[in-house]
Amino acid sequence: MTEHTIPTTTLGAGGPEVGVQGLGCMGMSFAYGPADADASRATLERALERGVTLYDTADAYGAGDNERFLAPFLAAHRDEVLIATKFALSIPPDDPNRRIIRNDPPYIRQAVEASLRRLDVDVIDLYYMHRRDVNVPIEETVGVMAELVREGKVKQLGLSEVTAGELRAAHAVHPIAAVQSEWSLFSRDIEAAVVPAARELGVTLVPYSPLGRGFLTGAFQDATKDLTQDDFRRTMPRFTGENAAANAALLEPVRAVAESHGATPAQIALAWVHQQANVHGLPVVPIPGTRSPSRVDENTAATSITLTEADLAALNPIAEKVTGTRYADMSFTSAGRE
């Protein structure tokens, strides 16, 4: 490993090595306003140069556009990277703004074939159930996912926003390599039950939105005032109105710790997430999203920052003071069902 490359960890018990930081690719095609395709392509390449090997997408990001966008990059670097994608958020043809959660076997088989085509790959390295349909037994859903592994269409299985009980039930059907959930200085609900279950089962935690969707970096203060009309964050209660103002005031300890390390607030927020691997005793691979090569440099440099006990004492109380939920409807999250 050179000074320019991040360390590695394992993806699931006995799984492949991956860089300890992945890349969330959603924003390159979806949710966060206009994107520059050339800058996004340069970001993919820069991430690989820094040792990022896990690239995260989903079939719902831009109705398949993000998978299609990634295909040329994957073709050029197939032996160097792992691609993670997801199923479960079905988009009705007559209403592209709606999402219907589907975990039924016929839909899963339809979804995997479509993702394979869009990504232009023979096998998906990590295939996630994006959200849980409580009307379908998770054993049935994972049973079909396990068939995809046996058929060579998928290498490893993942789950997103599941409870500890759901994780254990799924793992009893087929080993689960990764659980993806929001985990950051602002969102720590998974520590109560999901993280201990993952540690017990040898499952890697893949935190999404480790930078609080950019709020922890100071990139914006109020979504309705600072972000474009098509930005998904405008729908999130903690980023608007009085909640946003109250939460912005919580960032002072992040800025203070950053100054003491000669780092940016984003790097401290990421360093905190990375340090949870040692705190909780399990592999942790956050997937911060960016469309800028310079942000890749900033984000990956956070892997070399070690926070002190005093730093952690200043940062750890933040989450319990956050006002507003992370989604308007929390029933689709593990916290909403735990």
Side-chain angles (χ1 to χ4, degrees):
M1 186 182 75
T2 71
E3 63 179 357
H4 301 294
T5 307
I6 61 175
T8 62
T9 189
T10 57
L11 187 62
E17 282 198 352
V18 294
V20 295
Q21 191 176 115
L23 181 66
C25 300
M26 178 180 77
M28 296 177 181
S29 307
F30 175 71
Y32 294 154
D36 181 317
D38 289 339
S40 292
R41 281 188 284 268
T43 299
L44 297 171
E45 297 288 348
R46 185 60 180 145
L48 183 57
E49 291 171 6
R50 294 286 293 180
V52 173
T53 56
L54 180 63
Y55 291 75
D56 184 90
T57 184
D59 59 2
Y61 298 163
D65 286 347
N66 198 235
E67 290 181 324
R68 282 186 283 266
F69 175 77
L70 289 172
F73 172 76
L74 296 175
H77 301 288
R78 193 65 191 100
D79 295 335
E80 302 170 81
V81 302
L82 279 73
I83 184 65
T85 193
K86 314 176 192 75
F87 72 88
L89 300 183
S90 174
I91 303 173
D94 59 341
D95 189 354
N97 294 317
R98 284 186 65 208
R99 299 290 185 272
I100 299 172
I101 298 178
R102 291 188 61 180
N103 291 174
D104 56 286
Y107 179 76
I108 296 170
R109 288 200 163 274
Q110 171 189 326
V112 73
E113 296 296 343
S115 286
L116 286 165
R117 285 194 302 271
R118 286 189 293 261
L119 292 165
D120 195 20
V121 296
D122 295 326
V123 61
I124 294 166
D125 298 299
L126 176 60
Y127 199 44
Y128 285 104
M129 181 188 76
H130 203 162
R131 290 293 185 270
R132 169 97 167 91
D133 178 359
V134 296
N135 297 310
V136 178
I138 197 162
E139 294 86 353
E140 182 177 336
T141 299
V142 177
V144 176
M145 295 170 72
E147 291 175 5
L148 300 180
V149 175
R150 291 191 289 271
E151 293 165 12
K153 295 175 180 179
V154 170
K155 289 185 179 179
Q156 290 185 290
L157 303 184
L159 304 170
S160 181
E161 290 286 0
V162 292
T163 67
E166 290 164 349
L167 173 57
R168 288 192 174 94
H171 196 80
V173 176
H174 187 279
I176 301 299
V179 164
Q180 187 173 128
S181 275
E182 189 164 352
W183 198 8
S184 73
L185 286 170
F186 264 30
S187 301
R188 299 182 58 184
D189 48 78
I190 64 169
E191 293 174 29
V194 177
V195 170
R199 180 180 62 240
E200 168 195 326
L201 299 171
V203 176
T204 297
L205 245 296
V206 179
Y208 71 83
S209 300
L211 297 174
R213 300 185 185 271
F215 194 85
L216 286 164
T217 73
F220 69 99
Q221 291 192 325
D222 187 318
T224 54
K225 297 177 181 178
D226 302 334
L227 304 177
T228 58
Q229 289 287 338
D230 58 349
D231 197 299
F232 177 62
R233 290 168 288 188
R234 292 168 64 96
T235 70
M236 296 179 165
R238 63 177 47 169
F239 299 143
T240 59
E242 293 181 358
N243 287 343
N247 292 334
L250 300 177
L251 300 180
E252 182 52 40
V254 184
R255 288 190 287 266
V257 172
E259 185 175 353
S260 72
H261 282 268
T264 66
Q267 289 173 324
I268 295 307
L270 279 172
W272 181 88
V273 175
H274 281 294
Q275 208 147 325
Q276 300 314 298
N278 293 328
V279 171
H280 294 280
L282 79 170
V284 176
V285 183
I287 49 169
T290 184
R291 302 177 291 202
S292 163
S294 65
R295 292 298 185 200
V296 169
D297 292 341
E298 179 182 354
N299 292 346
T300 53
T303 63
S304 64
I305 297 173
T306 301
L307 301 174
T308 67
E309 290 299 321
D311 294 335
L312 294 174
L315 298 170
N316 284 338
I318 291 175
E320 64 188 25
K321 300 174 184 177
V322 172
T323 61
T325 53
R326 48 195 179 95
Y327 293 101
D329 182 353
M330 288 290 287
S331 66
F332 304 121
T333 69
S334 59
R337 300 190 306 278
E338 196 69 67

